[in-house]
Amino acid sequence: MTGPAWPIAALLLGYPIWWALGFGGLSVIVLAVPMAVILWRRRPVRVPHGFGLWLLLLAGYLLSAMMLDELPPGTYGGFSAGRLIGWAMRLALYVSVLVMVLYLGNLTERELPQLRLVRWLGVLFLTTVAGGLLGVLVPHFAFTSPVELLLPGWISENSFVQNLIHPTAAQTQKVLGYSSPRPEAPFEWANAWGSNASVLLIWFVVGWWTYGGRWRRALAVLVIALAAVPVVYSLNRGLWIGLGLAVAYLIVRVAGRTRIVLCGAVAAGLVVFALSPLASVFAQRLDKPHSNDVRAFTMTATVAAARHSPVIGYGNTRNSLGNHRSITTGKTQWCAACGHPPLGSDGQLWLLLITQGFTGAALYVAFFLGAIRRHWADRSPIGLAGVLVMGLVLLYMFVYDGLVTPLSLYLISFALLWRNA
């Protein structure tokens, strides 16, 4: 905590404290300030390939502010402070993660060794598993954070802000036809937990198994076995698909004895899983495609709305008129949970379409595709893992929002690839 890498240590190792304070995913915004000051003093600053694409993404988002008071056909709601707050927070996050990437890329190997950064991500995976188990065992655990107490009500009561500053262990939903908890601690949403768990698992395996000694490897096996519980109870089909594709990717890209060991470990894991009680929860989720109709409606409505402002979008999400069942929808005294998710809330791709149009979505995809193309030949453990994460980013953009914490982890993985080159 005394060297140049202290902001990164504070972000990754200190994340549980940020979460308890009510900053959580917003901690990167706070820490981007000292990072920017240190970068300014260390000029000139090196920049990665793809830097221009992210700058264009930022420029487009700034322009999208001109559309904040506009309503595309099929949506409702007037301009409000909440809409402006959401736009400003996303802008701060886009800028902050870029500062973080530049900061990581300009630290020398001596100041922050690659393996140390990977293992710090592994520590955050331990935190994620602990939070997931808390969500399964004590799903109603929640408390009011200091940030929530300090903010005025008109800000803290905004639904987007509330998810960021109010620590909760789980979201209780009726995905299986009855109320069941979906772990989200220490992140902002259950889907964010799923996305982050898969990305951090990859770096945990690299740092604690591939480059680990005997005790680290033994711990890794135990932690991964424990992680299976919240992974299944998260009911995150996107997470499950991502893990399956990650295993297939590694089997294809590694060779020799490593491939044999990997196949054997996967086979043994599947046998143990099939004999465990977790298998029945997994099967129930597959039998109940709870969100398919909702997602299909939202995605279709998002694309339709984006066509009316295809270049710069609308700056923020919009509420749809009706839902997949009715032309009328909304909260009532007897149904506070009724309504429909805002357009753009079912994945980063759809969020980009409504907030920044087709141009913003294309720039986002180009940024991560470019990273895969440039680093595909890097067959080191960090190279293989980084390219895998870039691929998961492109998969998850269809089902998970990249904001808030997922985007930070995506960009840290990008920085690891850049540093590795």
Side-chain angles (χ1 to χ4, degrees), residues 57-411:
L57 188 71
L58 283 173
Y61 194 64
L62 286 170
L63 290 174
S64 72
M66 296 187 298
M67 302 294 289
L68 283 173
D69 64 343
E70 300 292 331
L71 275 180
T75 65
Y76 70 93
F79 179 77
S80 64
R83 188 178 293 177
L84 182 60
I85 290 171
W87 178 86
M89 291 182 70
R90 290 186 183 97
L91 175 63
L93 284 164
Y94 284 138
V95 173
S96 298
V97 294
L98 179 58
V99 170
M100 179 186 64
V101 167
L102 294 178
Y103 192 77
L104 283 168
N106 282 272
L107 289 176
T108 65
E109 177 68 11
R110 182 176 180 180
E111 291 170 329
L112 179 57
Q114 285 280 74
L115 182 55
R116 181 178 299 168
L117 177 55
V118 170
R119 283 183 174 161
W120 284 354
L121 289 168
V123 172
L124 186 54
F125 178 69
L126 297 177
T127 302
T128 303
V129 173
L133 291 172
L134 176 68
V136 172
L137 300 174
V138 194
H140 300 296
F141 177 81
F143 59 92
T144 302
S145 70
V147 170
E148 190 176 359
L149 288 172
L150 293 173
L151 286 177
W154 65 273
I155 295 179
S156 63
E157 292 172 5
N158 176 275
S159 58
F160 177 67
V161 176
Q162 180 71 190
N163 280 323
L164 298 178
I165 64 175
H166 185 69
T168 54
Q171 286 180 289
T172 301
Q173 299 176 340
K174 294 185 178 180
V175 177
L176 301 178
Y178 55 86
S179 296
S180 57
R182 300 182 63 203
E184 64 178 9
F187 305 115
E188 52 272 9
W189 295 283
N191 283 346
W193 189 94
S195 173
N196 295 342
S198 62
V199 170
L200 291 170
L201 171 61
I202 292 166
W203 293 117
F204 179 74
V205 170
V206 173
W208 295 64
W209 178 268
T210 305
Y211 289 115
R214 182 176 300 176
W215 74 268
R216 271 200 173 93
R217 290 189 171 188
L219 177 62
V221 172
L222 175 61
V223 170
I224 292 173
L226 288 174
V229 176
V231 164
V232 172
Y233 276 94
S234 72
L235 307 179
N236 265 315
R237 291 172 299 172
L239 166 61
W240 301 343
I241 293 171
L243 292 177
L245 291 177
V247 170
Y249 164 88
L250 291 174
I251 290 174
V252 170
R253 296 218 65 196
V254 300
R257 182 183 174 187
T258 304
R259 180 181 291 173
I260 295 173
V261 171
L262 178 60
C263 290
V266 171
L270 289 175
V271 170
V272 172
F273 176 78
L275 297 175
S276 74
L278 296 176
S280 63
V281 178
F282 180 82
Q284 288 180 61
R285 179 64 178 102
L286 295 182
D287 288 339
K288 294 185 180 294
H290 168 74
S291 58
N292 287 3
D293 292 340
V294 176
R295 283 184 176 274
F297 173 85
T298 306
M299 292 171 187
T300 302
T302 300
V303 173
R307 287 174 179 166
H308 294 275
S309 182
V311 179
I312 61 173
Y314 289 93
N316 204 339
T317 58
R318 295 293 188 274
N319 293 313
S320 173
L321 285 172
N323 58 25
H324 65 294
R325 291 178 177 172
S326 170
I327 61 172
T328 60
T329 183
K331 295 181 180 180
T332 64
Q333 292 182 347
W334 57 272
C335 185
C338 288
H340 196 276
L343 300 185
S345 63
D346 285 323
Q348 184 67 13
L349 176 63
W350 320 111
L351 176 65
L352 288 164
L353 286 176
I354 193 68
T355 59
Q356 293 184 252
F358 294 92
T359 304
L363 289 169
Y364 182 87
V365 171
F367 179 83
F368 290 104
L369 273 180
I372 293 174
R373 179 185 59 81
R374 286 189 301 274
H375 300 286
W376 184 262
D378 185 352
R379 301 184 72 88
S380 67
I382 290 177
L384 290 172
V387 169
L388 172 56
V389 172
M390 298 299 99
L392 288 180
V393 172
L394 297 177
L395 167 67
Y396 288 158
M397 71 179 183
F398 292 97
V399 292
Y400 294 148
D401 287 347
L403 302 178
V404 183
T405 47
L407 193 62
S408 296
L409 297 181
Y410 297 163
L411 270 293

